[in-house]
Amino acid sequence: MKKYFDRLYSDSYQEFEKILKKNLEKNQKMFVVTANPETFMIGANDQEVSQILLDAEVTIVPDGIGIVKGANMLGYKVKERIPGIEIAWSLLKEGNKQQKTIYLLGASEEVKEKTVEKIKTDYPNLKILGAVNGYGKDKDKDFEEIKKTNPDIVLVALGIPAQEKLIYKHLNDFEKGIFVGVGGSLDVISGTKKRAPKIFQKLGLEWLYRLAKEPKRIKRFYNSNVKFIFKVKKMKKSK
Ligand code: UDP
């Protein structure tokens, strides 16, 4: 897992936003993986995900507080969280400013539609080239459609690791585009789900809020986050 930490983006959100803006301006292709402990744990057991995390063309940012803390424990100077939801908001804002184009893939039909409405209202200069929900049978075919439209921004909301695997599989066919697997972000952007209150975010407890709201996540949380902490502690000891 150390090799994933080695590749982790370590600067502030402000600096990261500048990179997003610049790449959007220059049509520089980019694939952002927003990592939480689960991402790294999956990587340790899944060859395909591991390959994605180790690919020099892939940017890994610390989405979860667990990744930031884990990195710090291991001596990496990772400044702060770079949450996927913030990246999504930045891309909408900047895409609107630069009059770029976007394609959405993922989430339920209702969430996808509400997100489209939100973008049309609040980001009218960001042109939506297509939007398809995440429950279609043939996602490769969905991606073929995306390819035909050559968008500047592609947000894929299928959850980890499905979204990352899908993007990675097709990435080489694109010449430009900022690709991000945004997990549950469209649920929030559409107004369907609420993000944790600011105080939770500030205290690094957004995960706790999510667990309290969606207790079915507890098993997943244990399997990834708790085991992750033990793994990091073990790595620290053996350093
Ligand atoms: N989703 C989807 N198709 C699927 C499974 C999930 O489009 O087959 C969507 C789901 O509706 C939600 C997002 O993927 O909008 C995953 O959200 P979650 O909060 O679980 O993501 P994560 O915790 O991985 O960030």
Side-chain angles (χ1 to χ4, degrees):
M1 208 157 64
K2 182 177 177 299
K3 7 190 226 311
Y4 308 149
F5 279 109
D6 287 339
R7 301 208 54 253
L8 198 56
Y9 177 82
S10 57
D11 215 334
S12 65
Y13 188 83
Q14 216 180 5
E15 287 306 311
F16 186 72
E17 200 179 35
K18 285 185 198 161
I19 298 174
L20 289 177
K21 280 184 190 174
K22 202 178 74 201
N23 285 351
L24 203 52
E25 249 165 39
K26 292 187 165 174
N27 292 325
Q28 170 68 48
K29 190 162 80 170
M30 184 184 199
F31 173 19
V32 185
V33 172
T34 68
N36 54 44
E38 194 177 5
T39 320
F40 282 11
M41 292 302 282
I42 294 173
N45 296 302
D46 182 323
Q47 190 50 42
E48 208 181 329
V49 173
S50 191
Q51 192 190 339
I52 297 173
L53 293 172
L54 296 178
D55 190 321
E57 280 192 35
V58 176
T59 305
I60 313 175
V61 297
D63 180 316
I65 189 73
I67 292 282
V68 176
K69 297 255 192 228
N72 291 340
M73 268 173 76
L74 294 169
Y76 296 88
K77 289 193 173 56
V78 171
K79 271 201 180 137
E80 59 182 348
R81 291 181 64 200
I82 314 281
I85 178 74
E86 299 289 346
I87 296 176
W89 285 126
S90 291
L91 287 173
L92 294 183
K93 194 179 74 188
E94 200 48 39
N96 186 54
K97 223 187 247 171
Q98 295 186 26
Q99 308 197 352
K100 294 285 184 177
T101 59
I102 190 168
Y103 206 112
L104 307 172
L105 168 60
S108 68
E109 179 60 23
E110 192 193 343
V111 165
K112 181 216 75 180
E113 272 310 306
K114 281 187 180 164
T115 308
V116 166
E117 285 316 307
K118 171 92 182 160
I119 295 175
K120 281 185 181 163
T121 314
D122 293 358
Y123 307 93
N125 296 320
L126 175 60
K127 190 167 175 218
I128 303 171
L129 297 179
V132 57
N133 72 52
Y135 292 88
K137 283 212 176 68
D138 192 346
K139 302 217 170 47
D140 289 314
K141 211 167 151 210
D142 292 336
F143 232 91
E144 300 288 329
E145 290 303 313
I146 301 181
K147 217 171 291 172
K148 287 182 197 159
T149 68
N150 202 23
D152 299 306
I153 301 166
V154 180
L155 302 184
V156 183
L158 300 171
I160 52 168
Q163 56 197 18
E164 282 75 21
K165 285 184 176 178
L166 189 67
I167 293 172
Y168 195 66
K169 193 169 165 191
H170 296 274
L171 197 62
N172 273 338
D173 299 332
F174 289 81
E175 265 160 25
K176 66 164 182 178
I178 299 190
F179 296 79
V180 194
V182 291
S185 297
L186 302 189
D187 300 81
V188 175
I189 289 170
S190 64
T192 313
K193 273 190 197 169
K194 275 211 171 70
R195 209 183 154 189
K198 281 264 161 9
I199 183 75
F200 280 78
Q201 293 178 32
K202 241 188 180 156
L203 293 173
L205 291 174
E206 192 159 9
W207 58 273
L208 184 62
Y209 179 85
R210 264 187 124 178
L211 278 187
K213 281 266 176 195
E214 297 173 68
K216 65 175 191 300
R217 285 182 180 272
I218 288 177
K219 189 162 171 232
R220 192 173 146 191
F221 181 82
Y222 177 79
N223 278 331
S224 51
N225 292 257
V226 177
K227 288 185 181 167
F228 172 82
I229 295 165
F230 282 113
K231 201 159 181 174
V232 168
K233 282 194 171 156
K234 218 163 147 191
M235 282 166 72
K236 195 182 174 196
K237 260 194 204 149
S238 65
K239 253 175 83 180

